[in-house]
Each structure stands twice: as structure tokens, then as C-alpha cells.
């Protein structure tokens, strides 16, 4: 088993930063300390002047997702490779069964697709319908396949949307299994109605997309999911929180002691809704994703939510569609496949706009790009930190390296980049996944199939105790004499 030593850098974890070397044996961190000796024959990586960070975890991606009549253009190999070039070494993707499809069958299909991954991956499984078979498969997935989170789409009516009955059934089952319920919070019934009204008013272009999905639609669904979870005593995770309305619902619940977590996408922090009014249809269509980009006041609030810990994780919802795929909706914005890319750029744009602006410290950056996701999804400290015994998923991060983001130079399999032209300082110099170098000297060295599935056990220590405390007091009946019943 080979040794690698990363020498002379500043090691950053969510707990703090210190000058230290990192000794790796094979796939695992062996020691972190000052002036570590290099074993004979060890590979030495010089990290002088650089930060040494845990590899990023993107808890929300959709590689090769079949969606809205097409298939996302990024596959598990190209996607995990692009991720590695930007410092992300683990993705948590989504198995999305068709309504009536067995969860287990869908899960096996996705596991097959993911075998080509260059870096590690895990899966949330979506519950898109309800039956005894779904109840049973949730149990099998948690007990035998390392799944500890179930996703619920409250939008996408007539496709994968869950109604309240499904939410209640599935949240209850998740609680029983010690799994986390997650939601895409948008009221799909309202979206459906607003889409129709807007289209019938003659607004057929991409600008119709945000008009049909206003913040209230997200706020209502976020609050409903939170309240359902509260009544059932189920911990909850909101994906892609994009607006003040949802943020406030999360904040209120957390202030009440409820175990609610929330994710924000890098792009919702950095891009506003003016993109939908671009006169180039293709350009505007590339920003069609749900929830949509919001006005600047929402972006400011999201940054504050991240700083305040109301939002704990950052993700990308990486779901790529190339221009010809987006053009399926050229006559009707409702048919534009929803999704944007960004798995490659998340760490870089957050460092530039988060750390370099003083909004986040390097340790806070680690918390929101890896450690918190690792804790919430129960893969900490295997992932999300640099400590003896952890997987050697490590990024040597050059805080002075500048690049201008462009579709011409990115590694993502999509012909557009939502951050096109943005110059950022702070980038991955070397990326290691379980001790193997995937990215170095601006070159990818990824291998098909090198990534492994990461099992995620249920009942995470990180949130379970609190979840149990949130349970309502056991109801009791009142002892009383039966009244005389008058005839
Ligand atoms: O627009 C999006 N976000 N597409 C991917 C599916 C989802 O809603 O997460
Ligand atoms: Zn979603
Ligand atoms: Zn998504």
C-alpha cells in the first residue's frame, strides 16, 4: 500500500485550521501533524502556501437523469470527473422511480449507471407513489443497501409529485426506519395553475418560468412539509432553499427546536432572476430550473441564512441539458427541461464570493461544502474531515489560483455554463479521492469505475437524539364515568 504525504499546507476542517502535514496510507489518512516524516518511497505533494481541505461533498446531483422527456447529458463518469476538477470528491445523487415502479428496481438501475463513476457516490431514493411495496422497499433499502434518506417532490404534477397522503405515509415510515425525509418544496398544484394562466396570457418564453413559481409557492410547500414532519416527529431536510419565504419557515422551525435542515444551491446565492429576460431564448432557457432564480433581496437573505447556520449545506442540483434539449420548450416554457449544471464550480464560486468577501471563514467553508453534509447524511468522519481513519478525500486548495469560468474550458458535459465569464480566485490545485490523484496540473486523471458506493446507515447520532426529543408527549385518555345516555 503506497504512502502519500501532503507537506507544508494549512489543514482546514470545520473545527479550525492549523499548519500541518497529512500522511496518507493507501486510501486512508494515517496522521495529521507538524513535520511528519515521509516513509521511504512516499509520494510528496507540496502544499506550501495552500489550504488542505476535505474533498467537497455535493449532496444534490442528477447524473444521467431521465427527466421531462429527455436524459440529463452528464453521466456518472463525466460528472464525477468534472466535480473532481473543482474539488468535489463525493456526490449524493437521486434514484427517482416512475410512479408504480418498485423502488428497489429503480435503485438497482441507478447503481448500474453509477458504476462508471470516477469518484465516490451515494443515493437518496425518491418516493413518488405509495403502496405496501413502497413501504417494504424503504425498509429493504435502509437495511440492505445503505440508503438513509428519502426524497419527496412536492412539485411536477402529473409526473413525480407527492400529495399530502404520500408525504404522511412516507415521512412516518422514514421516522420508523431512522431515515431522513427530504423535500423539493414547491406547491405543484399552484405551479400547474399559474403555468396555465401565464401561458394562456401569451407568455410562452422562459420568462414565464419564474412567474409560475413565485416565492410564495415555495414558502407554502416548505411550511407544509415542515409542519407535517413536526406532527409526525420526522427529521426533515429541504433541498434547494431559494427564497426568504422558505428560509423563514426553516428558521421558525429551528427556533422551535424542530430538527429541520436546509440546503442552498451555489447558483441561488449568485445568480438573480434577470437572466430570464435575456433576449436570447437559448441563454434564458439555460437558467430554467426549479425553484427558479430569485431577485437580489432573496440572494442577500440566503447568504445571511448560510452565515447564521439556518442553511447548513451547499449543493448544485447538477442536472445538465444541452441547448437542443432545452429547445424542446421553444414554443412553451413548460416543456423546457428543468435543470442547470455547476458541480465543477461550486467550491470555486463559494470560495471566491464566500471566503474572499469575508462572509465565510475557511472553516465555515469546509462546514458548508462537506462536513455538514457528511454529518447530516451520516458519513462523518469517513468523509467531511481530515483526521486519522478518514478517507483520504483531500483537496490542495490554491487560494491565489485564478480562472475565468467558461463552457469552452469546463469539464462538464454541457454546452453552456451558468457562470460564463465569472473570474474567480481560489481553485483546486490537486484533488485526491481515497488517496488517488484525480486532478493535478490542470489535468484530469480520472478512471472509469474508480468511484465506490458509500453506504449511509440509519439513525445518525448527529440528529437522531434531537429528533426523539421533538416527539410530542404520549397522548393519554381522560378517565371518567360513562354518562347516563338519555334515550
Ligand atoms: O430544475 C431542477 N431542479 N431540476 C432537477 C430536478 C429537481 O427538481 O431537483
Ligand atoms: Zn428539485
Ligand atoms: Zn434536484
Amino acid at each position: 500500500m503506497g504512502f502519500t504525504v501532503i507537506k507544508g499546507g494549512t489543514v482546514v476542517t470545520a473545527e479550525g485550521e492549523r499548519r500541518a502535514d497529512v500522511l496518507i496510507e493507501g486510501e486512508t489518512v494515517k496522521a495529521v501533524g507538524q513535520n511528519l516524516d515521509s516513509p521511504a518511497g512516499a509520494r510528496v505533494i507540496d502544499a506550501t502556501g495552500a489550504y488542505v481541505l476535505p474533498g467537497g461533498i455535493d449532496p444534490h446531483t442528477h447524473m444521467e437523469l431521465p427527466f421531462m422527456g429527455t436524459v440529463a447529458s452528464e453521466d456518472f463518469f463525466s460528472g464525477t470527473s468534472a466535480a473532481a476538477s473543482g474539488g468535489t470528491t463525493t456526490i449524493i445523487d437521486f434514484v427517482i422511480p416512475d410512479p408504480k415502479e418498485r423502488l428497489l428496481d429503480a435503485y438497482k438501475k441507478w447503481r448500474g449507471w453509477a458504476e462508471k463513476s470516477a469518484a465516490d457516490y451515494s443515493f437518496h431514493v425518491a418516493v413518488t407513489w405509495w403502496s405496501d411495496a413502497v413501504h417494504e422497499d424503504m425498509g429493504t433499502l435502509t437495511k440492505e443497501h445503505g440508503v438513509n434518506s428519502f426524497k419527496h417532490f412536492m412539485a411536477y404534477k402529473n409526473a413525480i409529485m407527492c400529495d399530502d397522503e404520500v408525504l404522511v405515509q412516507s415521512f412516518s415510515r422514514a421516522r420508523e426506519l431512522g431515515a431522513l425525509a427530504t423535500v423539493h418544496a414547491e406547491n405543484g398544484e399552484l405551479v400547474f395553475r399559474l403555468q396555465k394562466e401565464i401561458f394562456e396570457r401569451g407568455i410562452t418564453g422562459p420568462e414565464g418560468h419564474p412567474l409560475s413559481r413565485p416565492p410564495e409557492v415555495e414558502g407554502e410547500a416548505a411550511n407544509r412539509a415542515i409542519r407535517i414532519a413536526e406532527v409526525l416527529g420526522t427529521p426533515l431536510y429541504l433541498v434547494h432553499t431559494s427564497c426568504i419565504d422558505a428560509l423563514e419557515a426553516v428558521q421558525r422551525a429551528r427556533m422551535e427546536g424542530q430538527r429541520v435542515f436546509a440546503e442552498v444551491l451555489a447558483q441561488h446565492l449568485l445568480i438573480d432572476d434577470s437572466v430570464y429576460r435575456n433576449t436570447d431564448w437559448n441563454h434564458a432557457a439555460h437558467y430554467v430550473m426549479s425553484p427558479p432564480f430569485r431577485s437580489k433581496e432573496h440572494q442577500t437573505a440566503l447568504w445571511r441564512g448560510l452565515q447564521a447556520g439556518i442553511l447548513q449545506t451547499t449543493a448544485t442540483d447538477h442536472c445538465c441539458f444541452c441547448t437542443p434539449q432545452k429547445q424542446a420548450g421553444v414554443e412553451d416554457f413548460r416543456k423546457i427541461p428543468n435543470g442547470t449544471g455547476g458541480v465543477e464550480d461550486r467550491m470555486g464560486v463559494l470560495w471566491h464570493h464566500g471566503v474572499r468577501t469575508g462572509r465565510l471563514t475557511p472553516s465555515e467553508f469546509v462546514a458548508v461544502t462537506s462536513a455538514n453534509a457528511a454529518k447530516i447524511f451520516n458519513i462523518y468522519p469517513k468523509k467531511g474531515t481530515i483526521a486519522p481513519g478518514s478517507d483520504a478525500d483531500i483537496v490542495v486548495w490554491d487560494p491565489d489560483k485564478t480562472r475565468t469560468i467558461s463552457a469552452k474550458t469546463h469539464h462538464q458535459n454541457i454546452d453552456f455554463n451558468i457562470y460564463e465569464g465569472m473570474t474567480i480566485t481560489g481553485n483546486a490545485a490537486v484533488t485526491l479521492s481515497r488517496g488517488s490523484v484525480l486532478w493535478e496540473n490542470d489535468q484530469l486523471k480520472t478512471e472509469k469505475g474508480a468511484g465506490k458506493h458509500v453506504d449511509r446507515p440509519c439513525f445518525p447520532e448527529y440528529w437522531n437524539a434531537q429528533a426523539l426529543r421533538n416527539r410530542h408527549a404520549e397522548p393519554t385518555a381522560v378517565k371518567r364515568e360513562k354518562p347516563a345516555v338519555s334515550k
Side-chain angles (χ1 to χ4, degrees):
M1 223 188 273
F3 287 96
T4 304
V5 188
I6 304 174
K7 285 198 93 61
T10 299
V11 175
V12 188
T13 66
E15 283 70 48
E17 52 182 271
R18 62 175 171 139
R19 293 293 294 274
D21 301 337
V22 181
L23 173 65
I24 298 163
E25 184 176 8
E27 300 192 343
T28 312
V29 174
K30 185 99 182 135
V32 182
Q34 290 194 335
N35 305 317
L36 294 181
D37 288 334
S38 304
R43 175 195 175 122
V44 177
I45 297 173
D46 181 10
T48 309
Y51 289 102
V52 179
L53 314 175
I57 299 172
D58 188 335
H60 188 160
T61 66
H62 300 282
M63 304 303 170
E64 53 192 283
L65 172 70
F67 192 52
M68 295 183 74
T70 185
V71 177
S73 58
E74 191 87 275
D75 72 23
F76 279 90
F77 176 64
S78 60
T80 48
S81 298
S85 74
T88 290
T89 52
T90 305
I91 58 166
I92 313 183
D93 207 273
F94 291 82
V95 172
I96 307 184
D98 290 329
K100 301 279 177 285
E101 186 181 13
R102 290 291 296 242
L103 269 56
L104 218 45
D105 292 343
Y107 176 78
K108 286 177 186 159
K109 205 161 62 185
W110 257 266
R111 282 293 297 265
W113 295 338
E115 272 174 16
K116 58 176 111 47
S117 297
D120 290 356
Y121 54 92
S122 197
F123 287 107
H124 314 277
V125 177
V127 171
T128 53
W129 60 298
W130 192 256
S131 75
D132 290 348
V134 176
H135 183 276
E136 183 187 326
D137 284 357
M138 286 175 78
T140 310
L141 287 163
T142 55
K143 289 174 190 130
E144 296 172 23
H145 297 279
V147 173
N148 73 8
S149 48
F150 292 96
K151 168 80 174 284
H152 307 81
F153 290 92
M154 298 171 79
Y156 306 124
K157 181 174 156 74
N158 296 331
I160 52 177
M161 183 172 103
C162 288
D163 61 17
D164 284 2
E165 185 191 347
V166 178
L167 295 180
V168 169
Q169 296 278 22
S170 180
F171 283 20
S172 307
R173 180 67 171 143
R175 197 193 118 217
E176 188 175 279
L177 295 168
L180 189 58
T182 81
V183 286
H184 167 135
E186 283 185 304
N187 183 317
E189 203 60 54
L190 283 174
V191 170
F192 188 78
R193 187 182 178 98
L194 292 177
Q195 283 180 326
K196 186 166 174 295
E197 282 178 15
I198 286 156
F199 186 78
E200 284 172 356
R201 200 179 283 182
I203 302 172
T204 61
E207 66 280 12
H209 180 70
L211 294 172
S212 66
R213 310 180 98 102
E216 295 78 6
V217 159
E218 185 179 338
E220 186 284 323
N223 201 53
R224 179 159 38 101
I226 287 170
R227 288 312 183 202
I228 292 173
E230 201 229 343
V231 170
L232 300 173
T234 312
L236 184 71
Y237 178 95
L238 274 80
V239 305
H240 49 43
T241 310
S242 78
C243 62
I244 293 169
D245 311 53
L247 182 70
E248 285 180 350
V250 174
Q251 182 183 21
R252 187 166 55 243
R254 289 176 67 86
M255 290 294 287
E256 290 170 3
Q258 198 182 335
R259 189 49 84 189
V260 173
F261 305 103
E263 160 194 291
V264 63
L265 304 184
Q267 58 268 43
H268 279 137
L269 291 165
L270 296 168
I271 296 169
D272 69 61
D273 57 356
S274 60
V275 290
Y276 297 113
R277 304 205 72 82
N278 194 298
T279 50
D280 175 349
W281 188 95
N282 288 336
H283 186 99
H286 268 293
Y287 291 92
V288 168
M289 66 156 300
S290 299
F293 295 100
R294 305 295 191 189
S295 62
K296 288 199 186 305
E297 57 169 332
H298 293 282
Q299 285 175 256
T300 305
L302 292 175
W303 273 114
R304 298 209 171 126
L306 191 64
Q307 291 173 291
I310 301 164
L311 304 167
Q312 298 80 39
T313 61
T314 57
T316 60
D317 198 0
H318 186 77
C319 188
C320 294
F321 298 108
C322 293
T323 307
Q325 294 176 288
K326 289 280 183 184
Q327 287 177 346
V330 78
E331 307 290 349
D332 180 346
F333 69 87
R334 295 172 293 185
K335 298 191 176 133
I336 302 171
N338 285 204
T340 55
V343 75
E344 176 168 348
D345 301 316
R346 178 183 66 124
M347 303 272 282
V349 297
L350 288 173
W351 183 275
H352 184 86
H353 293 281
V355 178
R356 285 180 63 86
T357 55
R359 287 169 167 137
L360 302 173
T361 65
S363 277
E364 288 166 345
F365 174 83
V366 167
V368 302
T369 55
S370 66
N372 290 349
K375 289 173 183 169
I376 292 168
F377 294 108
N378 208 17
I379 50 174
Y380 189 90
K382 177 181 166 70
K383 309 282 189 194
T385 192
I386 301 175
S390 299
D391 282 358
D393 293 355
I394 295 178
V395 192
V396 178
W397 189 262
D398 181 348
D400 300 319
K401 187 174 170 189
T402 293
R403 74 183 168 104
T404 299
I405 299 173
S406 174
K408 292 195 185 75
T409 50
H410 72 197
H411 303 86
Q412 302 173 140
N413 190 27
I414 177 172
D415 58 357
F416 189 85
N417 192 305
I418 52 172
Y419 303 112
E420 184 73 34
M422 184 187 284
T423 297
I424 56 170
T425 300
N427 279 290
V430 184
T431 305
L432 294 102
S433 161
R434 282 181 287 99
S436 297
V437 172
L438 302 191
W439 168 254
E440 191 177 33
N441 300 326
D442 291 337
Q443 296 296 320
L444 273 173
K445 302 182 169 182
T446 48
E447 226 180 87
K448 261 190 186 157
K452 284 190 189 159
H453 179 263
V454 185
D455 281 349
R456 295 181 295 116
C458 288
F459 292 105
E461 197 183 297
Y462 182 63
W463 49 254
N464 192 52
Q466 181 63 37
L468 292 175
R469 273 203 292 281
N470 284 341
R471 286 183 60 185
H472 293 267
E474 287 298 326
T476 53
V478 176
K479 284 203 177 93
R480 57 167 81 81
E481 296 294 318
K482 277 207 175 129
V485 181
S486 49
K487 298 258 161 68

